[in-house]
Amino acid sequence: MATPPPTGPLVTRDTLRTQLGELGVRPGETLLVHSSLSALGWVNGGAVTVVLGLLDALGPEGTLVVPTQTGDISDPALWRGPPVPPEWWAAIRATMPAYDPRITPARGVGVVPETVRTWPGAKRSAHPQTSFAAVGPRAAELTEGHASDCRLGERSPLAKLEATGARVLLLGAGYASCTGFHLAEYRIPSPRVAVGRPGPNGWETVTEVSISSDRFDELGYDFERDRPVVRGKVGAAEARLFPVADAVAYAERWLAVHRPREEEFPHPPV
């Protein structure tokens, strides 16, 4: 059977630089990007071209930030995609490699963040499960000091991105991917949970704010209805551009009303 021709449009580095500029990405700004490579069309050069196009649009004074989360560094008792047999759990906990920002690959956030993570000069934050990577003049400032017991809260890069006027670019990704909404969960009543993971001295458990992207799509729909969100196309992808601070402030109000979560969640096995 013949291989079908690729689905377009053809997207190049120049395409990305031009269309990101037309969308409103400004040279010199700081941009938190959530992306889907497949949504863009046929990208000549794949994820490397996407990163080059983003850096072109931001210019030498701009900073590119991406989530480089590592959800597989977690308690195997909670794994669902796929689950592992309970009789394996103890051995997995005892032998799972601890997080190393230099070599631990990102997981579940797409190929573009993994490409940024390995980019020359990239900096990466220290949280073992919800790190961010950045390239540009502000990369070190934004990624340093990510507390090990604060996944996406006040002592994470998200709070720094909010404070420095950064914007979010959803590039073929939906609002369910918008990490900025999670910062709002730290500012309203939220349950706390025990989070297990490998540490430098063996398996460890920390108490954290429970985070959930449940109903983030609905939250995003209302946010876009009520607040200024720049919309356009980059390649074949729907793109949205808005300030981190706007998203966090709106989510604080929306989540408190539409998704209250004050009840205590059960702790996972440790």
Side-chain angles (χ1 to χ4, degrees):
M1 181 180 295
T3 303
T7 300
L10 168 63
V11 177
T12 68
R13 178 176 177 176
D14 285 344
T15 305
L16 292 163
R17 179 179 62 245
T18 299
Q19 294 184 350
L20 287 166
E22 291 171 348
L23 182 71
V25 173
R26 301 187 295 258
E29 75 170 311
T30 299
L31 203 60
L32 172 60
V33 177
H34 300 281
S35 60
S36 167
L37 177 62
S38 62
L40 286 164
W42 196 87
V43 181
N44 187 23
V48 169
T49 292
V50 174
V51 176
L52 287 169
L54 286 163
L55 293 175
D56 287 346
L58 290 168
E61 300 304 315
T63 300
L64 171 63
V65 185
V66 295
T68 49
Q69 298 171 2
T70 46
D72 52 332
I73 300 182
S74 57
D75 195 322
L78 303 178
W79 294 353
R80 296 292 179 268
V84 294
E87 58 267 26
W88 293 5
W89 293 352
I92 289 173
R93 293 182 188 124
T95 59
M96 184 183 295
Y99 172 73
D100 184 331
R102 300 166 301 173
I103 61 174
T104 302
R107 180 184 175 100
V109 289
V111 66
V112 172
E114 178 64 2
T115 303
V116 174
R117 181 189 74 80
T118 60
W119 205 259
K123 304 296 183 183
R124 191 182 191 187
S125 70
H127 195 283
Q129 293 163 323
T130 56
S131 64
F132 291 79
V135 175
R138 307 192 77 168
E141 167 197 351
L142 293 167
T143 56
E144 67 186 6
H146 193 170
S148 62
D149 61 348
C150 185
R151 288 182 285 190
L152 298 169
E154 305 297 346
R155 293 173 294 151
S156 79
L158 282 177
K160 293 182 179 181
L161 289 164
E162 176 194 35
T164 55
R167 292 196 291 174
V168 176
L169 172 63
L170 298 180
L171 188 59
Y175 283 103
S177 302
C178 183
T179 50
F181 288 158
H182 288 294
L183 180 55
E185 294 182 294
Y186 286 73
R187 297 177 178 173
I188 62 175
S190 297
R192 299 180 68 83
V193 293
V195 178
R197 66 199 184 197
N201 300 310
W203 193 258
E204 63 183 19
T205 302
V206 297
T207 301
E208 252 280 17
V209 169
S210 173
I211 56 176
S212 170
S213 58
D214 180 47
R215 300 187 68 184
F216 274 14
D217 281 335
E218 295 175 59
L219 165 55
Y221 176 87
D222 287 352
F223 171 67
E224 192 168 295
R225 179 196 64 203
D226 296 337
R227 299 294 301 155
V229 174
V230 178
R231 294 187 60 180
K233 279 288 190 75
V234 177
E238 292 286 339
R240 292 172 168 86
L241 186 63
F242 50 88
V244 174
D246 273 8
V248 176
Y250 191 91
E252 283 185 59
R253 297 187 296 271
W254 194 97
L255 291 170
V257 173
H258 298 282
R259 204 200 66 181
R261 299 174 63 233
E262 295 185 51
E263 72 277 8
E264 188 68 30
F265 284 12
H267 285 196
V270 294

PDB file of all heavy atoms in Angstrom, residues 237-268:
ATOM      1  N   ALA A 237      -2.229  25.333  12.860  1.00  0.00           N
ATOM      2  CA  ALA A 237      -2.601  25.295  14.276  1.00  0.00           C
ATOM      3  C   ALA A 237      -3.350  26.542  14.710  1.00  0.00           C
ATOM      4  O   ALA A 237      -3.011  27.667  14.321  1.00  0.00           O
ATOM      5  CB  ALA A 237      -1.357  25.130  15.141  1.00  0.00           C
ATOM      6  N   GLU A 238      -4.358  26.345  15.539  1.00  0.00           N
ATOM      7  CA  GLU A 238      -4.977  27.453  16.257  1.00  0.00           C
ATOM      8  C   GLU A 238      -3.974  27.950  17.298  1.00  0.00           C
ATOM      9  O   GLU A 238      -3.371  27.162  18.025  1.00  0.00           O
ATOM     10  CB  GLU A 238      -6.252  27.004  16.957  1.00  0.00           C
ATOM     11  CG  GLU A 238      -7.385  26.630  16.025  1.00  0.00           C
ATOM     12  CD  GLU A 238      -8.037  27.853  15.395  1.00  0.00           C
ATOM     13  OE1 GLU A 238      -7.888  28.961  15.956  1.00  0.00           O
ATOM     14  OE2 GLU A 238      -8.677  27.699  14.338  1.00  0.00           O
ATOM     15  N   ALA A 239      -3.798  29.257  17.353  1.00  0.00           N
ATOM     16  CA  ALA A 239      -2.866  29.840  18.312  1.00  0.00           C
ATOM     17  C   ALA A 239      -3.587  30.874  19.158  1.00  0.00           C
ATOM     18  O   ALA A 239      -4.449  31.614  18.657  1.00  0.00           O
ATOM     19  CB  ALA A 239      -1.683  30.476  17.588  1.00  0.00           C
ATOM     20  N   ARG A 240      -3.215  30.930  20.433  1.00  0.00           N
ATOM     21  CA  ARG A 240      -3.798  31.897  21.362  1.00  0.00           C
ATOM     22  C   ARG A 240      -2.676  32.527  22.165  1.00  0.00           C
ATOM     23  O   ARG A 240      -1.743  31.834  22.595  1.00  0.00           O
ATOM     24  CB  ARG A 240      -4.803  31.210  22.293  1.00  0.00           C
ATOM     25  CG  ARG A 240      -6.066  30.721  21.594  1.00  0.00           C
ATOM     26  CD  ARG A 240      -6.915  29.886  22.536  1.00  0.00           C
ATOM     27  NE  ARG A 240      -8.246  29.639  21.985  1.00  0.00           N
ATOM     28  CZ  ARG A 240      -8.546  28.645  21.161  1.00  0.00           C
ATOM     29  NH1 ARG A 240      -7.593  27.798  20.773  1.00  0.00           N
ATOM     30  NH2 ARG A 240      -9.783  28.494  20.710  1.00  0.00           N
ATOM     31  N   LEU A 241      -2.794  33.824  22.419  1.00  0.00           N
ATOM     32  CA  LEU A 241      -1.738  34.579  23.083  1.00  0.00           C
ATOM     33  C   LEU A 241      -2.377  35.481  24.132  1.00  0.00           C
ATOM     34  O   LEU A 241      -3.293  36.245  23.816  1.00  0.00           O
ATOM     35  CB  LEU A 241      -0.999  35.411  22.035  1.00  0.00           C
ATOM     36  CG  LEU A 241       0.245  36.193  22.438  1.00  0.00           C
ATOM     37  CD1 LEU A 241       1.365  35.263  22.900  1.00  0.00           C
ATOM     38  CD2 LEU A 241       0.725  37.043  21.261  1.00  0.00           C
ATOM     39  N   PHE A 242      -1.889  35.390  25.379  1.00  0.00           N
ATOM     40  CA  PHE A 242      -2.475  36.183  26.464  1.00  0.00           C
ATOM     41  C   PHE A 242      -1.498  36.254  27.637  1.00  0.00           C
ATOM     42  O   PHE A 242      -0.606  35.404  27.770  1.00  0.00           O
ATOM     43  CB  PHE A 242      -3.806  35.568  26.929  1.00  0.00           C
ATOM     44  CG  PHE A 242      -3.741  34.092  27.237  1.00  0.00           C
ATOM     45  CD1 PHE A 242      -3.397  33.641  28.503  1.00  0.00           C
ATOM     46  CD2 PHE A 242      -4.008  33.152  26.242  1.00  0.00           C
ATOM     47  CE1 PHE A 242      -3.335  32.281  28.785  1.00  0.00           C
ATOM     48  CE2 PHE A 242      -3.939  31.786  26.515  1.00  0.00           C
ATOM     49  CZ  PHE A 242      -3.604  31.354  27.783  1.00  0.00           C
ATOM     50  N   PRO A 243      -1.641  37.248  28.512  1.00  0.00           N
ATOM     51  CA  PRO A 243      -0.734  37.385  29.652  1.00  0.00           C
ATOM     52  C   PRO A 243      -0.951  36.293  30.697  1.00  0.00           C
ATOM     53  O   PRO A 243      -2.091  35.909  31.000  1.00  0.00           O
ATOM     54  CB  PRO A 243      -1.088  38.760  30.240  1.00  0.00           C
ATOM     55  CG  PRO A 243      -1.787  39.480  29.135  1.00  0.00           C
ATOM     56  CD  PRO A 243      -2.532  38.423  28.371  1.00  0.00           C
ATOM     57  N   VAL A 244       0.151  35.826  31.265  1.00  0.00           N
ATOM     58  CA  VAL A 244       0.059  34.862  32.367  1.00  0.00           C
ATOM     59  C   VAL A 244      -0.782  35.451  33.498  1.00  0.00           C
ATOM     60  O   VAL A 244      -1.643  34.780  34.067  1.00  0.00           O
ATOM     61  CB  VAL A 244       1.468  34.493  32.892  1.00  0.00           C
ATOM     62  CG1 VAL A 244       1.365  33.615  34.139  1.00  0.00           C
ATOM     63  CG2 VAL A 244       2.286  33.782  31.817  1.00  0.00           C
ATOM     64  N   ALA A 245      -0.532  36.712  33.840  1.00  0.00           N
ATOM     65  CA  ALA A 245      -1.224  37.333  34.974  1.00  0.00           C
ATOM     66  C   ALA A 245      -2.731  37.363  34.770  1.00  0.00           C
ATOM     67  O   ALA A 245      -3.498  37.142  35.720  1.00  0.00           O
ATOM     68  CB  ALA A 245      -0.693  38.744  35.203  1.00  0.00           C
ATOM     69  N   ASP A 246      -3.196  37.628  33.559  1.00  0.00           N
ATOM     70  CA  ASP A 246      -4.631  37.626  33.286  1.00  0.00           C
ATOM     71  C   ASP A 246      -5.226  36.247  33.518  1.00  0.00           C
ATOM     72  O   ASP A 246      -6.312  36.103  34.101  1.00  0.00           O
ATOM     73  CB  ASP A 246      -4.898  38.051  31.834  1.00  0.00           C
ATOM     74  CG  ASP A 246      -5.001  39.552  31.672  1.00  0.00           C
ATOM     75  OD1 ASP A 246      -4.712  40.280  32.646  1.00  0.00           O
ATOM     76  OD2 ASP A 246      -5.366  39.996  30.578  1.00  0.00           O
ATOM     77  N   ALA A 247      -4.538  35.225  33.038  1.00  0.00           N
ATOM     78  CA  ALA A 247      -5.041  33.858  33.164  1.00  0.00           C
ATOM     79  C   ALA A 247      -5.127  33.437  34.623  1.00  0.00           C
ATOM     80  O   ALA A 247      -6.103  32.810  35.051  1.00  0.00           O
ATOM     81  CB  ALA A 247      -4.143  32.898  32.386  1.00  0.00           C
ATOM     82  N   VAL A 248      -4.110  33.779  35.406  1.00  0.00           N
ATOM     83  CA  VAL A 248      -4.096  33.393  36.819  1.00  0.00           C
ATOM     84  C   VAL A 248      -5.201  34.108  37.581  1.00  0.00           C
ATOM     85  O   VAL A 248      -5.946  33.490  38.358  1.00  0.00           O
ATOM     86  CB  VAL A 248      -2.720  33.687  37.447  1.00  0.00           C
ATOM     87  CG1 VAL A 248      -2.740  33.385  38.952  1.00  0.00           C
ATOM     88  CG2 VAL A 248      -1.628  32.862  36.770  1.00  0.00           C
ATOM     89  N   ALA A 249      -5.341  35.402  37.369  1.00  0.00           N
ATOM     90  CA  ALA A 249      -6.357  36.171  38.095  1.00  0.00           C
ATOM     91  C   ALA A 249      -7.762  35.679  37.766  1.00  0.00           C
ATOM     92  O   ALA A 249      -8.618  35.550  38.656  1.00  0.00           O
ATOM     93  CB  ALA A 249      -6.224  37.660  37.764  1.00  0.00           C
ATOM     94  N   TYR A 250      -8.012  35.407  36.494  1.00  0.00           N
ATOM     95  CA  TYR A 250      -9.336  34.918  36.104  1.00  0.00           C
ATOM     96  C   TYR A 250      -9.591  33.537  36.695  1.00  0.00           C
ATOM     97  O   TYR A 250     -10.687  33.253  37.194  1.00  0.00           O
ATOM     98  CB  TYR A 250      -9.450  34.866  34.578  1.00  0.00           C
ATOM     99  CG  TYR A 250     -10.861  34.617  34.087  1.00  0.00           C
ATOM    100  CD1 TYR A 250     -11.714  35.685  33.814  1.00  0.00           C
ATOM    101  CD2 TYR A 250     -11.344  33.323  33.922  1.00  0.00           C
ATOM    102  CE1 TYR A 250     -13.013  35.465  33.373  1.00  0.00           C
ATOM    103  CE2 TYR A 250     -12.635  33.092  33.483  1.00  0.00           C
ATOM    104  CZ  TYR A 250     -13.465  34.167  33.214  1.00  0.00           C
ATOM    105  OH  TYR A 250     -14.764  33.933  32.788  1.00  0.00           O
ATOM    106  N   ALA A 251      -8.577  32.675  36.664  1.00  0.00           N
ATOM    107  CA  ALA A 251      -8.743  31.314  37.183  1.00  0.00           C
ATOM    108  C   ALA A 251      -9.005  31.302  38.682  1.00  0.00           C
ATOM    109  O   ALA A 251      -9.763  30.456  39.177  1.00  0.00           O
ATOM    110  CB  ALA A 251      -7.507  30.483  36.864  1.00  0.00           C
ATOM    111  N   GLU A 252      -8.398  32.226  39.407  1.00  0.00           N
ATOM    112  CA  GLU A 252      -8.665  32.292  40.848  1.00  0.00           C
ATOM    113  C   GLU A 252     -10.155  32.476  41.113  1.00  0.00           C
ATOM    114  O   GLU A 252     -10.741  31.798  41.973  1.00  0.00           O
ATOM    115  CB  GLU A 252      -7.888  33.455  41.475  1.00  0.00           C
ATOM    116  CG  GLU A 252      -6.417  33.207  41.688  1.00  0.00           C
ATOM    117  CD  GLU A 252      -5.777  34.377  42.424  1.00  0.00           C
ATOM    118  OE1 GLU A 252      -6.216  34.684  43.553  1.00  0.00           O
ATOM    119  OE2 GLU A 252      -4.851  34.993  41.867  1.00  0.00           O
ATOM    120  N   ARG A 253     -10.774  33.395  40.407  1.00  0.00           N
ATOM    121  CA  ARG A 253     -12.199  33.656  40.619  1.00  0.00           C
ATOM    122  C   ARG A 253     -13.050  32.504  40.100  1.00  0.00           C
ATOM    123  O   ARG A 253     -14.006  32.077  40.755  1.00  0.00           O
ATOM    124  CB  ARG A 253     -12.588  34.964  39.923  1.00  0.00           C
ATOM    125  CG  ARG A 253     -11.885  36.199  40.470  1.00  0.00           C
ATOM    126  CD  ARG A 253     -12.448  37.477  39.864  1.00  0.00           C
ATOM    127  NE  ARG A 253     -12.213  37.564  38.432  1.00  0.00           N
ATOM    128  CZ  ARG A 253     -11.134  38.103  37.883  1.00  0.00           C
ATOM    129  NH1 ARG A 253     -10.174  38.604  38.652  1.00  0.00           N
ATOM    130  NH2 ARG A 253     -11.011  38.160  36.567  1.00  0.00           N
ATOM    131  N   TRP A 254     -12.717  31.996  38.934  1.00  0.00           N
ATOM    132  CA  TRP A 254     -13.531  30.971  38.287  1.00  0.00           C
ATOM    133  C   TRP A 254     -13.496  29.657  39.060  1.00  0.00           C
ATOM    134  O   TRP A 254     -14.544  29.032  39.306  1.00  0.00           O
ATOM    135  CB  TRP A 254     -13.031  30.757  36.856  1.00  0.00           C
ATOM    136  CG  TRP A 254     -13.961  29.980  35.968  1.00  0.00           C
ATOM    137  CD1 TRP A 254     -14.863  30.480  35.078  1.00  0.00           C
ATOM    138  CD2 TRP A 254     -14.060  28.543  35.865  1.00  0.00           C
ATOM    139  NE1 TRP A 254     -15.515  29.461  34.428  1.00  0.00           N
ATOM    140  CE2 TRP A 254     -15.045  28.261  34.891  1.00  0.00           C
ATOM    141  CE3 TRP A 254     -13.414  27.480  36.497  1.00  0.00           C
ATOM    142  CZ2 TRP A 254     -15.397  26.963  34.539  1.00  0.00           C
ATOM    143  CZ3 TRP A 254     -13.764  26.177  36.151  1.00  0.00           C
ATOM    144  CH2 TRP A 254     -14.749  25.928  35.176  1.00  0.00           C
ATOM    145  N   LEU A 255     -12.311  29.216  39.444  1.00  0.00           N
ATOM    146  CA  LEU A 255     -12.191  27.936  40.138  1.00  0.00           C
ATOM    147  C   LEU A 255     -12.897  27.961  41.493  1.00  0.00           C
ATOM    148  O   LEU A 255     -13.508  26.967  41.904  1.00  0.00           O
ATOM    149  CB  LEU A 255     -10.716  27.568  40.317  1.00  0.00           C
ATOM    150  CG  LEU A 255      -9.969  27.202  39.031  1.00  0.00           C
ATOM    151  CD1 LEU A 255      -8.466  27.095  39.307  1.00  0.00           C
ATOM    152  CD2 LEU A 255     -10.494  25.896  38.447  1.00  0.00           C
ATOM    153  N   ALA A 256     -12.802  29.076  42.196  1.00  0.00           N
ATOM    154  CA  ALA A 256     -13.448  29.167  43.509  1.00  0.00           C
ATOM    155  C   ALA A 256     -14.957  28.994  43.408  1.00  0.00           C
ATOM    156  O   ALA A 256     -15.602  28.450  44.321  1.00  0.00           O
ATOM    157  CB  ALA A 256     -13.105  30.500  44.162  1.00  0.00           C
ATOM    158  N   VAL A 257     -15.528  29.419  42.287  1.00  0.00           N
ATOM    159  CA  VAL A 257     -16.978  29.337  42.103  1.00  0.00           C
ATOM    160  C   VAL A 257     -17.402  28.037  41.436  1.00  0.00           C
ATOM    161  O   VAL A 257     -18.336  27.362  41.879  1.00  0.00           O
ATOM    162  CB  VAL A 257     -17.469  30.542  41.264  1.00  0.00           C
ATOM    163  CG1 VAL A 257     -18.945  30.382  40.904  1.00  0.00           C
ATOM    164  CG2 VAL A 257     -17.233  31.838  42.006  1.00  0.00           C
ATOM    165  N   HIS A 258     -16.720  27.660  40.376  1.00  0.00           N
ATOM    166  CA  HIS A 258     -17.174  26.558  39.526  1.00  0.00           C
ATOM    167  C   HIS A 258     -16.546  25.203  39.853  1.00  0.00           C
ATOM    168  O   HIS A 258     -17.090  24.171  39.441  1.00  0.00           O
ATOM    169  CB  HIS A 258     -16.883  26.886  38.055  1.00  0.00           C
ATOM    170  CG  HIS A 258     -17.605  28.096  37.557  1.00  0.00           C
ATOM    171  ND1 HIS A 258     -18.933  28.071  37.209  1.00  0.00           N
ATOM    172  CD2 HIS A 258     -17.180  29.372  37.359  1.00  0.00           C
ATOM    173  CE1 HIS A 258     -19.303  29.268  36.805  1.00  0.00           C
ATOM    174  NE2 HIS A 258     -18.261  30.083  36.892  1.00  0.00           N
ATOM    175  N   ARG A 259     -15.416  25.222  40.571  1.00  0.00           N
ATOM    176  CA  ARG A 259     -14.775  23.946  40.886  1.00  0.00           C
ATOM    177  C   ARG A 259     -14.143  23.998  42.271  1.00  0.00           C
ATOM    178  O   ARG A 259     -12.941  23.836  42.435  1.00  0.00           O
ATOM    179  CB  ARG A 259     -13.714  23.609  39.825  1.00  0.00           C
ATOM    180  CG  ARG A 259     -13.399  22.129  39.692  1.00  0.00           C
ATOM    181  CD  ARG A 259     -12.041  21.895  39.025  1.00  0.00           C
ATOM    182  NE  ARG A 259     -10.960  22.360  39.857  1.00  0.00           N
ATOM    183  CZ  ARG A 259      -9.670  22.296  39.518  1.00  0.00           C
ATOM    184  NH1 ARG A 259      -9.312  21.845  38.336  1.00  0.00           N
ATOM    185  NH2 ARG A 259      -8.721  22.716  40.341  1.00  0.00           N
ATOM    186  N   PRO A 260     -14.965  24.226  43.307  1.00  0.00           N
ATOM    187  CA  PRO A 260     -14.409  24.239  44.667  1.00  0.00           C
ATOM    188  C   PRO A 260     -13.880  22.857  45.026  1.00  0.00           C
ATOM    189  O   PRO A 260     -14.494  21.838  44.708  1.00  0.00           O
ATOM    190  CB  PRO A 260     -15.604  24.643  45.530  1.00  0.00           C
ATOM    191  CG  PRO A 260     -16.804  24.243  44.730  1.00  0.00           C
ATOM    192  CD  PRO A 260     -16.423  24.422  43.290  1.00  0.00           C
ATOM    193  N   ARG A 261     -12.740  22.838  45.694  1.00  0.00           N
ATOM    194  CA  ARG A 261     -12.097  21.554  46.002  1.00  0.00           C
ATOM    195  C   ARG A 261     -11.555  21.562  47.426  1.00  0.00           C
ATOM    196  O   ARG A 261     -10.440  21.103  47.673  1.00  0.00           O
ATOM    197  CB  ARG A 261     -10.957  21.283  45.017  1.00  0.00           C
ATOM    198  CG  ARG A 261     -11.387  21.190  43.584  1.00  0.00           C
ATOM    199  CD  ARG A 261     -10.194  21.062  42.648  1.00  0.00           C
ATOM    200  NE  ARG A 261      -9.447  19.856  42.892  1.00  0.00           N
ATOM    201  CZ  ARG A 261      -8.135  19.814  43.108  1.00  0.00           C
ATOM    202  NH1 ARG A 261      -7.426  20.922  43.146  1.00  0.00           N
ATOM    203  NH2 ARG A 261      -7.527  18.665  43.301  1.00  0.00           N
ATOM    204  N   GLU A 262     -12.319  22.027  48.364  1.00  0.00           N
ATOM    205  CA  GLU A 262     -11.814  22.123  49.729  1.00  0.00           C
ATOM    206  C   GLU A 262     -11.756  20.781  50.434  1.00  0.00           C
ATOM    207  O   GLU A 262     -11.049  20.622  51.428  1.00  0.00           O
ATOM    208  CB  GLU A 262     -12.685  23.082  50.545  1.00  0.00           C
ATOM    209  CG  GLU A 262     -12.618  24.517  50.057  1.00  0.00           C
ATOM    210  CD  GLU A 262     -13.385  25.455  50.957  1.00  0.00           C
ATOM    211  OE1 GLU A 262     -13.156  25.413  52.176  1.00  0.00           O
ATOM    212  OE2 GLU A 262     -14.215  26.224  50.452  1.00  0.00           O
ATOM    213  N   GLU A 263     -12.512  19.794  49.927  1.00  0.00           N
ATOM    214  CA  GLU A 263     -12.511  18.501  50.599  1.00  0.00           C
ATOM    215  C   GLU A 263     -11.143  17.853  50.490  1.00  0.00           C
ATOM    216  O   GLU A 263     -10.417  18.037  49.531  1.00  0.00           O
ATOM    217  CB  GLU A 263     -13.577  17.571  49.996  1.00  0.00           C
ATOM    218  CG  GLU A 263     -13.259  17.045  48.591  1.00  0.00           C
ATOM    219  CD  GLU A 263     -13.626  18.021  47.496  1.00  0.00           C
ATOM    220  OE1 GLU A 263     -13.985  19.169  47.810  1.00  0.00           O
ATOM    221  OE2 GLU A 263     -13.532  17.632  46.319  1.00  0.00           O
ATOM    222  N   GLU A 264     -10.772  17.106  51.509  1.00  0.00           N
ATOM    223  CA  GLU A 264      -9.467  16.450  51.535  1.00  0.00           C
ATOM    224  C   GLU A 264      -9.487  15.224  50.645  1.00  0.00           C
ATOM    225  O   GLU A 264     -10.393  14.404  50.717  1.00  0.00           O
ATOM    226  CB  GLU A 264      -9.111  16.040  52.974  1.00  0.00           C
ATOM    227  CG  GLU A 264      -7.696  15.526  53.140  1.00  0.00           C
ATOM    228  CD  GLU A 264      -6.669  16.637  52.922  1.00  0.00           C
ATOM    229  OE1 GLU A 264      -6.983  17.803  53.208  1.00  0.00           O
ATOM    230  OE2 GLU A 264      -5.566  16.322  52.457  1.00  0.00           O
ATOM    231  N   PHE A 265      -8.532  15.094  49.766  1.00  0.00           N
ATOM    232  CA  PHE A 265      -8.394  13.915  48.934  1.00  0.00           C
ATOM    233  C   PHE A 265      -7.619  12.843  49.691  1.00  0.00           C
ATOM    234  O   PHE A 265      -6.764  13.156  50.510  1.00  0.00           O
ATOM    235  CB  PHE A 265      -7.637  14.250  47.642  1.00  0.00           C
ATOM    236  CG  PHE A 265      -8.456  14.979  46.620  1.00  0.00           C
ATOM    237  CD1 PHE A 265      -9.694  15.537  46.922  1.00  0.00           C
ATOM    238  CD2 PHE A 265      -7.978  15.123  45.343  1.00  0.00           C
ATOM    239  CE1 PHE A 265     -10.417  16.222  45.978  1.00  0.00           C
ATOM    240  CE2 PHE A 265      -8.701  15.821  44.373  1.00  0.00           C
ATOM    241  CZ  PHE A 265      -9.928  16.361  44.703  1.00  0.00           C
ATOM    242  N   PRO A 266      -7.890  11.557  49.420  1.00  0.00           N
ATOM    243  CA  PRO A 266      -7.089  10.517  50.077  1.00  0.00           C
ATOM    244  C   PRO A 266      -5.642  10.572  49.621  1.00  0.00           C
ATOM    245  O   PRO A 266      -5.358  10.916  48.472  1.00  0.00           O
ATOM    246  CB  PRO A 266      -7.767   9.231  49.614  1.00  0.00           C
ATOM    247  CG  PRO A 266      -8.453   9.591  48.343  1.00  0.00           C
ATOM    248  CD  PRO A 266      -8.888  11.021  48.502  1.00  0.00           C
ATOM    249  N   HIS A 267      -4.741  10.266  50.529  1.00  0.00           N
ATOM    250  CA  HIS A 267      -3.331  10.227  50.181  1.00  0.00           C
ATOM    251  C   HIS A 267      -3.035   8.943  49.417  1.00  0.00           C
ATOM    252  O   HIS A 267      -3.596   7.890  49.708  1.00  0.00           O
ATOM    253  CB  HIS A 267      -2.475  10.268  51.451  1.00  0.00           C
ATOM    254  CG  HIS A 267      -2.436  11.637  52.052  1.00  0.00           C
ATOM    255  ND1 HIS A 267      -1.509  12.000  52.981  1.00  0.00           N
ATOM    256  CD2 HIS A 267      -3.186  12.739  51.862  1.00  0.00           C
ATOM    257  CE1 HIS A 267      -1.696  13.238  53.347  1.00  0.00           C
ATOM    258  NE2 HIS A 267      -2.707  13.713  52.693  1.00  0.00           N
ATOM    259  N   PRO A 268      -2.119   8.990  48.455  1.00  0.00           N
ATOM    260  CA  PRO A 268      -1.728   7.773  47.747  1.00  0.00           C
ATOM    261  C   PRO A 268      -0.902   6.864  48.651  1.00  0.00           C
ATOM    262  O   PRO A 268      -0.363   7.306  49.675  1.00  0.00           O
ATOM    263  CB  PRO A 268      -0.882   8.304  46.588  1.00  0.00           C
ATOM    264  CG  PRO A 268      -0.324   9.591  47.101  1.00  0.00           C
ATOM    265  CD  PRO A 268      -1.405  10.173  47.986  1.00  0.00           C
TER     266      PRO A 268
END
